[in-house]
Amino acid sequence: MLLDTSPSKPHSNNHEPLLSTPKKASHRIVFGSVSPNAKRNSIFEGKDILSPNIDLMTWSSPKRHQASQKLPDFNGRLGSADLREPAPSGAVSSTSGSPRKLQRASTTDRYIPNRHTASGRLCMDESRPPPSALPALHLEAETKRIYKHSVAEACGLQVGKRILQFQPNLPPPSLQRSTSELSAFADESSQSATSRSQQMRTRKVPSCSEKVLDAPGVVDDFYLSLMQWSSINLLAIALENAVYVWNAATGAVTSLTECSCIVTSVNWSQDGYYLSIGTNDGSIEVWDIETQERLRTMQGHTSRVATQDWSGHILTAGSRNGSIVHHDVRVSQHIVSNITNAHAEEICGLSWRSDGQQLATGGNDNVVSVWDLRSNKPRFSKHEHKAAVKAISWSPDKLSLLATGGGSADKHIHFWNTTTGCKVNSLDAGSQISSLHWGYSNTTGREIVATHGYPNNSISIYSYPTLHKTGVINDAHDARILNSALSPDGTTLATVAADESLKFWKLFDINRRKSTLNGFASLKDDANKMGDSFMIR
């Protein structure tokens, strides 16, 4: 039976009671050249055609030598501006009807500000004639529109926005910093804060256990589930063919039963008052912990039951032949579903989601499967692991977040979104993973702890979702850790190893923040109350 090897505490007897509760490139039109001596019946007769060139060209005409043309100013309004410059000496006048001479306007445009200092984009109102207007008016409007866009494009401006916009003054040169410097400073500050919090967290991880119990006869088999902590603070552990219950509140150890063959799994009901015991011959016994009586024995497995879990009155068990059986413990015909060949090899990991709508299973075939409540086919199956998947744990904060860990040939922890079937994160733990549990730290927030077997018998803690290692306990045991269980208040981890010892580690803080899971109020009010006075004796 369990023996307390802590020197300061006396051994409890067996007679104490168990219960004490995610632009259009503007189409540029190239104008054809139009002769100034075109016939008078041209469609351009009497119209002012502006060249798309930025260097404005003026045709001197005897009829229009005093005419002024309307040009758009930089604010988008039509203003009066004479396109002609005074004729230079030597220029021939065109007032007598002689051939008109071409005069070039100044190439300096004083109305448009420096394009390199203009902040913003060009604003020009585009007015169009009504649909009933003459074709010549439509052509004139379209010509002006194209010209405006050509000028804007040549100037590097964008039509439709203001050229000028307010900007604050630059700080003094001594105070100016480049974006890269500011970004580097922010990253450095963030990393420094993260580093400080990790250092603080590391200092709080214990280097030795709070309590050690002797567990002689524990079966050194990686695939078995030999220990679990109930919601009413009772710890059940299987040692060979016997099951013992340790009361964390009083320190009492009670021998519950001895079976006719090796016990391969134990699991508490959600209320903590019933314990199911799976055996090597494929049978399952259900015990009432209050009266310490066996209520029934259920058959239906043809090989050993290595893992099991409760969801209300449904007890689900996985066996060595890869089958999953759902038992309704309220009725005599207890088998409500039997899924044969759910895995190609032994099922060694199995866990119901907290709302009872999904079931996750892992097997020695290196496969993770997620099942819906009303289907006998998996919602999805994943083959990323390279070794047996025994460690399975649902997030207490997000219903669809599942963590799974692989054996010694894999050494990875994968995180899955069970709604989409996508892998959302992954990390290499560097060692065989025998169990996973979610916890909370006041320093770093949500964390996940992994217990390891070969080659390192250690305990590792990672923050989530950053996946930074926030703590490690090296050589936690002298041999590989086989199973672990988390206390009902979420603070203490119990580990059992092949060195035949059971150790208790104070790793986490009580999460007193209330969370909601898709409308379900969570979860741990009773456990938080219990944590105020929780003590291992």
Side-chain angles (χ1 to χ4, degrees), residues 12-29:
S12 302
N13 60 57
N14 292 345
H15 301 290
E16 296 188 32
L18 284 172
L19 300 181
S20 359
T21 46
K23 204 170 182 169
K24 256 182 185 178
S26 55
H27 179 61
R28 183 160 185 179
I29 299 178

Side-chain angles (χ1 to χ4, degrees), residues 167-242:
Q167 287 185 340
N169 294 329
L170 291 174
S174 61
L175 298 180
Q176 296 183 26
R177 287 189 177 183
S178 65
T179 303
S180 59
E181 289 176 334
L182 292 174
S183 177
F185 177 75
D187 291 344
E188 182 180 353
S189 300
S190 176
Q191 292 174 2
S192 299
T194 302
S195 177
R196 287 193 297 270
S197 64
Q198 290 177 3
Q199 291 174 0
M200 292 174 60
R201 178 72 177 105
T202 301
R203 287 196 294 267
K204 293 178 64 176
V205 175
S207 58
C208 60
S209 60
E210 287 196 340
K211 186 180 184 68
V212 181
L213 294 178
D214 204 7
V218 63
V219 180
D220 186 6
D221 191 329
F222 175 78
Y223 303 104
L224 304 185
S225 301
L226 301 177
M227 181 175 62
Q228 197 184 38
W229 213 321
S230 78
S231 59
I232 58 174
N233 213 12
L234 299 177
L235 181 70
I237 183 170
L239 302 177
E240 293 183 337
N241 66 331

Side-chain angles (χ1 to χ4, degrees), residues 17-89:
L18 284 172
L19 300 181
S20 359
T21 46
K23 204 170 182 169
K24 256 182 185 178
S26 55
H27 179 61
R28 183 160 185 179
I29 299 178
V30 180
F31 285 83
S33 52
V34 179
S35 170
N37 295 322
K39 296 181 180 181
R40 299 295 296 172
N41 59 358
S42 168
I43 62 173
F44 299 102
E45 179 179 357
K47 306 301 176 185
D48 297 333
I49 306 303
L50 299 180
S51 167
N53 254 324
I54 296 176
D55 297 334
L56 302 179
M57 309 297 292
T58 301
W59 300 103
S60 295
S61 169
K63 294 184 179 181
R64 299 195 308 249
H65 66 278
Q66 294 178 352
S68 293
Q69 293 196 337
K70 302 287 185 178
L71 283 178
D73 64 6
F74 67 91
N75 283 323
R77 298 184 299 271
L78 292 178
S80 243
D82 194 346
L83 295 179
R84 297 176 299 122
E85 285 184 333
S89 60

Side-chain angles (χ1 to χ4, degrees), residues 79 123 336 358 448 494:
C123 178
V336 295
Q358 286 187 333
I448 189 167

